[in-house]
Amino acid sequence: MTAALLALASASAYAVSTVIGHRAATSALSGDGSWWSRAGRLLRRPGFVLGQALGALGLVLHAAALAVGLVVVVQPILCVGLVLALALGALVDRRHPDRPLPGRGQWWSAGMVVAGLVVFLTSAAPTAGSGAAVSWALPAAVGGLAAASAAVGFAVHRGRLRRPAAALAACSGLAFGLTGVLLKAVLALPVTAWPLAWAVYALVGVGLAGTALAQWSYAAGPLVQSQPVASALEPVVAVALAGPVFAEGLAGGPVAHLVQLAGLVLLVAGVVGVGRCAIARDARRGSSDPAGDEDRVPVLASYG
């Protein structure tokens, strides 16, 4: 229960950070002036500073949740940040008639996220140490991500992919999902062992790679091809690795596994739906409002 509450608090901090940061960037980066002058305005905005502080708080709460709880519980709960960001964004935008509010499709998708999370966690009944951890599973996952990212990056550079944004976003989602697993692995070590622990350097490298891949995917194609893919893959990867890496177990039996799969599919479909609807809404807004590209960034909570 403690881990679930910390994860929910982390999702809330991420969501508020996303909404505040997005609004600050929208107002500061639009308008006249060079890129440097607009960036300076953004850095001086209290909203931007507050958003970054809340993002840091979300990271601390995320780490605390993983330190006391299971990956298979914490990582899916962070998806609630999407729903919270949607609701908070709607409350803020009600004061601005020129900003479109979330449509029915987004609210239905948000409901799917919550319903899928409840179904999955209820049917999963997660337990710690119910199986045998595989010592090479985490290094193999890091190596597999590096190989896949290198292959995708090479293919995108050569122009061999039809949808490069989606492929890069998939690698980004894999990286962010793996980041949560690595974070728990690092927290399980004594602090004095961190300087010589490979997992610490893998955590930093995978986190930076995920961020770089995400930015590359945004530049490679429409957001509708990238951001929903990355957001959906993150919890799936974490849940998939929880068993082999930490011996976390789920309730057994064909019926239980079927319900767990249904809940996870519903959760992922809701995450994708929230992202696609947000991007479509902001694209329509951008087509009628030439203020700038910053206004077209969808309000999606970032987590992991």
Side-chain angles (χ1 to χ4, degrees):
M1 179 62 72
T2 301
L5 292 176
L6 286 170
L8 188 59
S10 174
S12 301
Y14 282 138
V16 177
S17 171
T18 298
V19 173
I20 293 177
H22 178 266
R23 269 46 180 191
T26 298
S27 59
L29 296 179
S30 59
D32 298 330
S34 64
W35 187 92
W36 288 107
S37 64
R38 288 183 293 166
R41 288 201 303 267
L42 176 61
L43 293 175
R44 291 192 297 270
R45 291 293 176 99
F48 174 78
V49 177
L50 178 60
Q52 299 307 304
L54 287 171
L57 175 62
L59 179 60
V60 171
L61 291 169
H62 183 189
L66 288 172
V68 300
L70 305 177
V71 171
V72 75
V73 172
V74 172
Q75 293 301 123
I77 288 179
L78 291 180
C79 292
V80 176
L82 288 168
V83 180
L84 295 174
L86 181 68
L88 290 172
L91 287 175
V92 173
D93 286 344
R94 280 185 176 277
R95 303 177 182 178
H96 303 273
D98 59 318
R99 295 178 181 175
L101 296 175
R104 183 178 302 176
Q106 273 188 283
W107 291 119
W108 274 108
S109 297
M112 290 171 62
V113 172
V114 176
L117 179 64
V118 171
V119 170
F120 175 75
L121 292 180
T122 302
S123 61
T127 56
S130 60
V134 181
S135 60
W136 50 264
L138 191 53
V142 174
L145 171 67
S149 300
V152 168
F154 179 79
V156 171
H157 180 70
R158 292 288 185 176
R160 296 177 180 176
L161 295 180
R162 179 175 297 180
R163 291 194 173 186
L168 291 167
C171 292
S172 174
L174 293 174
F176 287 136
L178 183 55
T179 297
V181 178
L182 284 166
L183 179 59
K184 183 173 179 62
V186 169
L187 293 171
L189 300 172
V191 177
T192 54
W194 285 6
L196 298 178
W198 74 270
V200 174
Y201 302 100
L203 173 62
V204 174
V206 171
L208 292 175
T211 302
L213 287 164
Q215 296 302 316
W216 193 1
S217 71
Y218 298 156
L223 282 171
V224 72
Q225 293 182 11
S226 58
Q227 201 154 9
V229 175
S231 299
L233 276 176
E234 184 174 348
V236 174
V237 171
V239 170
L241 289 175
V245 176
F246 301 113
E248 296 179 5
L250 305 178
V255 176
H257 288 327
L258 184 62
V259 177
Q260 293 159 19
L261 179 61
L264 195 59
V265 169
L266 190 62
L267 172 67
V268 170
V271 169
V272 173
V274 170
R276 292 181 68 89
C277 290
I279 292 165
R281 183 198 67 181
D282 288 345
R284 290 193 299 270
R285 174 187 175 187
S287 64
S288 59
D289 179 10
D293 291 340
E294 291 80 15
D295 285 349
R296 303 178 192 179
V297 178
V299 180
L300 295 175
S302 58
Y303 49 88

